[in-house]
Amino acid sequence: MLAIALCWPTDTVLGADPQTYTTTITPTGEAELDAAISASSSLVSLQKTHAVSPFALAGRIRNDYGRLRTALESYGYYAPAIKITVRSRGDKNAATAAPMDGADPQLPEWLQAIPKGQAVLVTITPTRGEIFRLGRVTLVRASGDGTGPVVLNPLETKALGVKSGQPAIASDVLAAAASLQTEMKEEGHALAQVAPPKAWLRPETHTLDVEYTVRSGPVVTIGAIGLSGMRRTHPAYIARRMTMHPNDLYQPSRIEAARQDLAGLGVFSDVQVNDAPPLSAGNQMPLSLDFKEGKVRTVAVQGGYSTDLGGRGGVSWTHRNIFGNAERLRLTALVTGLGGSAQQGLGYDVYADLMKPDFGSRDQNLSVRVEGIRQLLYSYRQTALLVRAGVVRRLGQRWTVSFEGQAEQEQIEQMGLVNDYTIISLPLGATYDSTGLSNPIDPATHGVRLAASVTPSASLINGTSFFTIMQANASTYFDLTHLGISRPGRSIIAVRGIVGSVQGASTFDIPPDQRLYAGGSATVRGFRYQGVGPQFPGSKYAIGGTSMDAGSVEFRQRFFRSFGGALFADAGQVGTGSRPFQGTLRVGAGAGVRYYTPIGPVRVDIAVPLNRPKRGDTWELYLGLGETF
């Protein structure tokens, strides 16, 4: 049978002075094999960690013959030659200066005769010999598993992956058994077993015959599914949520996908699925799901700072399973406008979010928010109460669509004029994300993100005005490892584009907070928030517009384990017509540093405007968690 033999040296010092040595391995010409030989050698791995007596060193040398032979055999070289020689360094005595064969029985005495403090050089010279190939590859039935030869279908043959004539690599031969067993289980053979292969070496033909013992067992379906460990969560909800059901074909991949889906609800700290044999009538395998509920209540602190919007900070309280069906309630209170060149004073943002999963159907969530806002921007001062409710639905792994209803009652002061607005809107949105990240704070290294929204709205003041806000943004990420100039995930080019348009009304026909603005970390860095676009004459008060476009290019480089940097350039404009790409183009550029933490990168960016408008800021600083896009 194939096996890896490990022989550990005994490094007992027998009263003699420790013997220092260095080891050299002659390359075989096969880099991967050379690395395996070096890793297998105790002479190499222990020479810098233990001082040993001459007798112990001789024991290491003897043991290395077997260890190195095992390494060579694992790569298909079953008739190798291994020569180990030992030479004294700098000894003028001819009797001890001549090289000594590592297999010589007199080696311990020879080493003991070397003067104190004089090192020896150990040279390992492996010779591969002719590579052995697989001869006969046979499959036999385990006792009690029926009669007749084992016949594999095409998928099972592919999973086995070994055939006569290919190099007899030990790892491939051993992995074939596990791979075949996995495939058979995936076909419903829940009790399938493929034992580690037996092997016979044929030196005369330089081949290795292998035999696999296979027990397939019957095709099995899922039986009764037991649920345990839930205290607050309703079992009926979990039963509805599960993607596997009794009488489904037993498939480990589908069972694991169902387990991960339940674990992803955010309610459980651990979910385990286990078979519960014996098989029931009709060859059904009962399953047991054991749940461990996590903490339902959490408190988090939020904060951020930029020179334009100033500081913001607060706390949030979250209950992750408030009604027992994985509903999430989050209460958040923030203080905003702590300084900042785009702010005129302190404000607040207080809101309550309720999310109900699987609303109406699976992968469809209900989201409700009630929010109170007060912000004293240079462009306008706003106090508002907002209520919105909507449905978010996932379409596969990458697409998400949403539909909302929103009502807002607000009072806005701009340039000394105070107006009350009641706004009703029906936002529609769709997003696409191929970055493969479940946490949006994690930095993307590849893929595309797309988002588009259409928001029909009605403003109920001095009559009713109707308008529609349309916005779209896209970002993509390119890893320079594809050009062969960096390691994966270390050097990234990120590109972002944003475009927006208001249809059906001119700038002053819509409330100030519904207009389009640019400037700040979300659009054009180097310009304060709402600092790009038309302004009231003789002031730095932004008017806003009915069209907007912006673009960003950013180079991100990671250094060492936890640090990184970025270079970026942004450009954008705001126009008074409904067609984008109008207005005065503003350009900013800057650099930043990153510190990567388990919850995401801490970001510090500094940006300057390259064509600063009158009364514009000379630079901006941004602090936050996560990349800007």
Side-chain angles (χ1 to χ4, degrees):
M1 296 180 64
L2 293 177
I4 297 178
L6 298 178
C7 301
W8 298 98
T10 301
D11 285 346
T12 305
V13 179
L14 302 177
D17 293 325
Q19 178 64 64
T20 59
Y21 70 95
T22 56
T23 306
T24 302
I25 300 178
T26 304
T28 65
E30 187 175 334
E32 189 175 342
L33 176 60
D34 291 340
I37 291 173
S38 179
S40 299
S41 171
S42 60
L43 286 167
V44 172
S45 61
L46 297 177
Q47 67 181 1
K48 293 183 179 180
T49 58
H50 291 78
V52 296
S53 71
F55 290 95
L57 177 58
R60 286 186 187 177
I61 293 171
R62 287 194 301 271
N63 283 341
D64 255 19
Y65 282 99
R67 297 170 68 93
L68 301 179
R69 177 175 291 277
T70 298
L72 285 156
E73 288 178 349
S74 68
Y75 280 80
Y77 299 102
Y78 288 90
I82 301 169
K83 184 174 181 62
I84 302 178
T85 59
V86 186
R87 184 184 298 274
S88 173
R89 282 187 165 182
D91 191 352
K92 297 180 180 180
N93 188 325
T96 58
M100 187 71 170
D101 192 319
D104 194 312
Q106 302 300 316
L107 179 62
E109 291 78 9
W110 185 89
L111 289 170
Q112 196 170 26
I114 295 175
K116 180 180 179 180
Q118 186 168 301
V120 298
L121 174 65
V122 180
T123 301
I124 300 173
T125 306
T127 302
R128 294 175 297 181
E130 185 176 339
I131 192 169
F132 278 55
R133 298 185 177 275
L134 291 181
R136 296 179 57 195
V137 178
T138 56
L139 295 97
V140 299
R141 288 192 179 276
S143 60
D145 192 55
T147 59
V150 177
V151 179
L152 302 183
N153 63 39
L155 289 177
E156 293 168 345
T157 301
K158 182 179 179 180
L160 183 65
V162 294
K163 58 183 180 180
S164 298
Q166 73 180 60
I169 308 299
S171 59
D172 293 343
V173 174
L174 293 171
S179 179
L180 176 58
Q181 179 173 298
T182 298
E183 174 59 31
M184 296 179 75
K185 285 180 176 290
E186 196 64 22
E187 294 172 353
H189 297 276
L191 304 179
Q193 290 184 341
V194 181
K198 299 177 182 178
W200 293 269
L201 196 64
R202 310 296 185 191
E204 64 280 4
T205 58
H206 289 90
T207 57
L208 185 75
D209 294 343
V210 293
E211 179 184 277
Y212 296 91
T213 300
V214 178
R215 181 190 301 274
S216 60
V219 174
V220 172
T221 57
I222 295 175
I225 301 176
L227 307 177
S228 64
M230 288 181 286
R231 300 186 307 275
R232 184 180 183 88
T233 308
H234 296 153
Y237 168 69
I238 297 301
R240 292 194 306 270
R241 172 79 189 190
M242 279 195 301
T243 57
M244 61 179 180
H245 307 92
N247 299 318
D248 288 347
L249 181 66
Y250 181 101
Q251 292 181 290
S253 64
R254 186 170 179 179
I255 294 171
E256 173 60 17
R259 188 199 69 81
Q260 292 183 11
D261 177 74
L262 295 174
L265 285 174
V267 174
F268 306 109
S269 61
D270 187 37
V271 180
Q272 295 292 330
V273 182
N274 298 296
D275 295 345
L279 297 182
S280 59
N283 289 328
Q284 290 195 320
M285 173 65 78
L287 299 179
S288 65
L289 274 71
D290 187 23
F291 299 88
K292 183 178 181 181
E293 293 184 341
K295 294 181 179 180
V296 295
R297 298 175 184 85
T298 59
V299 176
V301 177
Q302 300 182 32
Y305 177 80
S306 63
T307 50
D308 56 350
L309 289 175
R312 59 188 285 122
V315 297
S316 64
W317 175 90
T318 302
H319 195 302
R320 300 183 182 276
N321 196 15
I322 191 163
F323 301 127
N325 296 316
E327 301 92 344
R328 185 185 66 212
L329 174 65
R330 177 173 294 162
L331 307 178
T332 303
L334 301 172
V335 176
T336 62
L338 298 169
S341 60
Q343 299 276 7
Q344 296 188 64
L346 289 177
Y348 59 79
D349 189 2
V350 180
Y351 53 90
D353 283 324
L354 175 66
M355 189 279 293
K356 179 175 177 55
D358 303 321
F359 178 73
S361 67
R362 181 182 169 80
D363 292 329
Q364 182 169 279
N365 301 336
L366 172 67
S367 177
V368 179
R369 168 176 284 200
V370 179
E371 183 172 15
I373 301 172
R374 179 169 173 77
Q375 50 184 347
L376 307 181
L377 303 170
Y378 264 107
S379 301
Y380 54 82
R381 297 184 173 201
Q382 177 193 34
T383 303
L385 176 64
L386 183 147
V387 178
R388 70 184 187 195
V391 173
V392 180
R393 182 171 181 81
R394 290 186 61 88
L395 303 177
Q397 293 294 319
R398 298 181 176 183
W399 282 100
T400 302
V401 295
S402 62
F403 171 76
E404 289 184 350
Q406 180 173 298
E408 181 176 358
Q409 179 65 50
E410 63 182 1
Q411 183 180 85
I412 292 184
E413 178 187 348
Q414 185 177 54
M415 296 301 288
L417 298 176
V418 178
N419 288 298
D420 292 324
Y421 298 94
T422 300
I423 303 170
I424 305 297
S425 57
L426 298 172
L428 303 170
T431 63
Y432 172 86
D433 191 337
S434 63
T435 61
L437 299 176
S438 57
N439 182 1
I441 295 179
D442 291 337
T445 60
H446 66 278
V448 174
R449 287 175 174 152
L450 304 173
S453 65
V454 177
T455 307
S457 303
S459 176
L460 310 178
I461 180 174
N462 297 327
T464 302
S465 63
F466 296 94
F467 57 93
T468 299
I469 303 172
M470 298 185 297
Q471 286 188 292
N473 63 69
S475 59
T476 186
Y477 311 88
F478 180 76
D479 194 335
L480 294 185
T481 191
H482 297 303
L483 301 180
I485 58 177
S486 72
R487 288 184 291 159
R490 305 293 290 183
S491 303
I492 307 297
I493 297 290
V495 180
R496 174 181 65 182
I498 306 170
V499 64
S501 174
V502 178
Q503 301 287 327
S506 62
T507 300
F508 291 99
D509 290 331
I510 58 178
D513 65 314
Q514 301 295 304
R515 300 169 194 168
L516 301 179
Y517 300 89
S521 63
T523 51
V524 185
R525 287 164 287 187
F527 297 81
R528 66 175 178 268
Y529 178 66
Q530 299 181 336
V532 173
Q535 297 180 347
F536 288 100
S539 75
K540 61 178 184 180
Y541 291 75
I543 299 174
T546 50
S547 67
M548 184 273 290
D549 55 87
S552 302
V553 177
E554 185 165 302
F555 171 68
R556 301 168 182 170
Q557 177 64 51
R558 291 194 69 157
F559 302 107
F560 311 112
R561 179 182 179 87
S562 301
F563 293 92
L567 297 172
F568 56 83
D570 301 342
Q573 58 198 334
V574 175
T576 56
S578 60
R579 180 172 56 84
F581 306 104
Q582 301 181 72
T584 301
L585 185 68
R586 300 296 181 184
V587 181
V593 296
R594 308 288 185 266
Y595 179 72
Y596 295 93
T597 72
I599 60 174
V602 177
R603 167 176 46 89
V604 181
D605 287 339
I606 297 178
V608 297
L610 300 186
N611 55 343
R612 182 169 66 96
K614 190 176 182 179
R615 297 184 178 85
D617 295 347
T618 57
W619 61 282
E620 302 289 352
L621 171 68
Y622 308 96
L623 305 177
L625 181 64
E627 296 289 1
T628 51
F629 63 94

